[in-house]
Structures are given as C-alpha cells and as structure tokens.
Amino acid sequence: MGDRMPAVTPLVTRFAPSPNGRLHLGHALSAIIAHDLAKASGGRFLLRIEDIDGPRSRPDLADEFRRDLAWLGLEWEEVPAQSTRLASYAAAAEALKARGLLYACTCTRKEIAEAGARPGLEGLIYPGTCKHRPPDPARPAAWRLDAAKALAATGPLLWQDELAGPQAVDFSGLGDVVLVRKDLPASYHLAVTLDDAADGVTLVTRGADLFAASHVHRTLQALLGLPAVRWYHHPLLTDETGQKLAKRRGSPALAERRAAGENGRMLAEQLRMQHLRLGT
Ligand code: GLU
Ligand code: ZN
C-alpha cells in the first residue's frame, strides 16, 4: 500500500494501585510509563482502584491517588473499582471449580512453612498438602489453581513481554497459587486478569517485581477464554546504593512531595529520563 508508515495500534494501558498505602516514586514511574505508552499510540490510559484488600483498603487514599496523578500531569479515564466487581470474580471461580481446576486449601501460613515449603518467586511454594485430602469443612478454605491440571488443559503457552521478549508459561517457581482467598471471592491473580479483560486492556504495564505473576495471568486468560494481552514489566527504580526504592526505607510519598510544593510535572520528566537510563 504505497510507502505509508505502518499504522500504530492504539494501546489500552492501566495503572492499578491498591489503596492500602500511599503512592511513591515507583508507582509514579509505573503510571507515567502506562500513560505515555497509551498516549503515544493514540490509545487510552485507565485508572483502576484495586480496593479488595479487606481492612487494609483505605477508601480515602483513592482520592489522594487521583490528585497525585493530576499533579504528575497525567490524564486518565477511571474504570470501576475492584470492590464493584466481586460477582464476576465469583462466577469465574465457580467455572474453574466446575472443571476441577481448583482445590480447597485450609492451610495457615504457619502450616505451609512447617510443611517444609521452599521459597519461590512469590514467597513460599505451596507444598500441596491439601491437594489430595478432603477439605475439613470446619476450617475456612482458600482455593488454589492446580498448576499441573491447568497446564494439561491449556497445553504449552507463551506470553510476550515487550522488554524481555517471549516467555514460556512456567509454574515451577510459583506452584499452586491462590485464586480465591479465604476472605474474598478472588485473589489478586484472578481479579486483575478478569478486570484487565473487562476493561479492554491490551498492554499491561507494571514493575518487574510482578513479572512472575504473568505466568499465572496468561494461564487464566487461556482457561477462561479471555484475550491474550501483552506485558511491559519495567525495571524498578533503585537508590544510589542499588537497593530497590521502597516505602519502608523512607522515600517520601508523592502526596508529601506535592504538599511540600514540589513541581509534579518536573518530577515526571525526571522519572522519564531515569527510565530511559535504566535501559528499557
Ligand atoms: N494492585 C497491584 C499493586 O498495587 C498492581 C496490580 C498490577 O499492576 O497488576 O501492587
Ligand atoms: Zn492446604
């Protein structure tokens, strides 16, 4: 078709903060990357509040997050918060249970540690204690994805990270992850996969600390007949000593910097430069 440039597909990206703590520089970088990738493609940048963390969720923080994003100079469309979508999580969990892909687990953290669980990519790898025993109906149960059955159902799967390249789904560092928490009709993995599909997200951007979760999310997409998205796991910000920036080491919250009169748009520019230097 002549020598026209190939059309750029408009991307739909999102920033999905959990209102259980204030936003910090790492969150700002995630939001800026998602925003800029969407806008550069003529697409849409969404904000979704992931507020299903029970008593740890603080509704007042959602407003603070919106003010932080505006202060950074970002424009977004907000989609419904996770707390409004619990019925869709429960329905998907029931469908997976009906196919025998989930099993009930009544173990406590302590029991899992005592069963000799080895460390994996997301904490301890569940040693499978409940996989072959009937659940004790007197104890609260979580529901875990039987990774072996899931892989048998999907066959070999690939997912695409824009920076790291193609990845083969691999549960060896994850084990049988929780899809339904004891206290909620979903876990992070199930909720985020369903929401990204419902919101039409095409490129999931988030920090490299969540890289391994995408093995689970790609599997859930295949099991639930959801479209395969692409991922962009950005490198994490580090301090001068090379340590990950984390709130526990006292980096000030965005809201504190905002209140102190710092220019948010200039901070956003600095983070963009830093991201380029981190070697995308
Ligand atoms: N809500 C998650 C968090 O704040 C992020 C989810 C995601 O980007 O997949 O850590
Ligand atoms: Zn168990």
Side-chain angles (χ1 to χ4, degrees):
M1 295 291 278
D3 50 10
R4 272 188 294 159
M5 297 284 285
V8 177
T9 310
L11 299 171
V12 182
T13 66
R14 66 6 176 228
F15 176 55
S18 301
N20 51 26
R22 306 185 104 177
L23 299 186
H24 289 258
L25 278 182
H27 297 105
L29 179 66
S30 278
I32 290 165
I33 290 171
H35 171 273
D36 290 4
L37 287 168
K39 299 291 166 171
S41 72
R44 297 162 61 211
F45 168 58
L46 312 178
L47 170 66
R48 183 174 66 233
I49 304 294
E50 305 216 315
D51 57 347
I52 54 165
D53 217 359
R56 292 180 60 215
S57 271
R58 287 176 42 199
D60 56 303
L61 283 176
D63 251 340
E64 177 174 299
F65 293 178
R66 294 180 195 107
R67 284 194 287 271
D68 291 342
L69 295 185
W71 174 70
L72 291 167
L74 308 186
E75 288 167 14
W76 67 91
E77 285 170 56
E78 187 159 348
V79 293
Q82 286 194 323
S83 55
T84 67
R85 309 188 193 208
L86 301 183
S88 77
Y89 308 152
E94 288 311 316
L96 294 171
K97 282 182 203 172
R99 290 162 66 187
L101 294 168
L102 309 189
Y103 63 88
C105 169
T106 55
C107 297
T108 60
R109 279 172 203 276
K110 187 162 173 273
E111 285 168 339
I112 292 172
E114 285 170 0
R118 52 191 178 90
L121 298 169
E122 285 190 337
L124 295 179
I125 298 178
Y126 182 64
T129 321
C130 291
K131 192 166 167 175
H132 304 292
R133 70 178 180 192
D136 174 352
R139 297 180 66 189
W143 290 81
R144 292 182 178 275
L145 178 67
D146 185 324
K149 280 192 187 167
L151 287 173
T154 63
L157 282 176
L158 290 177
W159 56 277
Q160 178 70 24
D161 184 85
E162 297 297 311
L163 302 180
Q167 308 291 317
V169 164
D170 177 3
F171 275 85
S172 58
L174 295 161
D176 293 348
V177 298
V178 171
L179 291 193
V180 180
R181 284 167 37 168
K182 286 178 183 168
D183 57 338
L184 281 176
S187 68
Y188 158 67
H189 294 304
L190 184 60
V192 84
T193 304
L194 289 166
D195 292 347
D196 284 334
D199 295 336
V201 170
T202 60
L203 179 68
V204 170
T205 63
R206 58 186 171 211
D209 51 339
L210 287 169
F211 193 92
S214 301
H215 293 294
V216 181
H217 303 175
R218 177 71 194 94
T219 300
L220 289 175
Q221 288 164 359
L223 291 174
L224 295 167
L226 306 172
V229 301
R230 297 164 82 89
W231 282 268
Y232 185 109
H233 292 96
H234 63 79
L236 301 178
L237 291 175
T238 52
D239 65 16
E240 311 75 53
T241 68
Q243 286 211 314
K244 267 198 273 176
L245 274 190
K247 38 194 158 187
R248 60 185 170 276
R249 272 185 290 273
S251 81
L254 299 183
E256 289 169 289
R257 304 174 76 129
R258 181 157 56 78
E262 186 173 340
N263 184 323
R265 287 169 190 262
M266 275 176 56
L267 175 63
E269 282 310 311
Q270 286 161 14
L271 288 170
R272 288 183 174 102
M273 299 304 291
Q274 208 164 334
H275 180 51
L276 288 176
R277 276 201 304 277
L278 286 171
T280 53

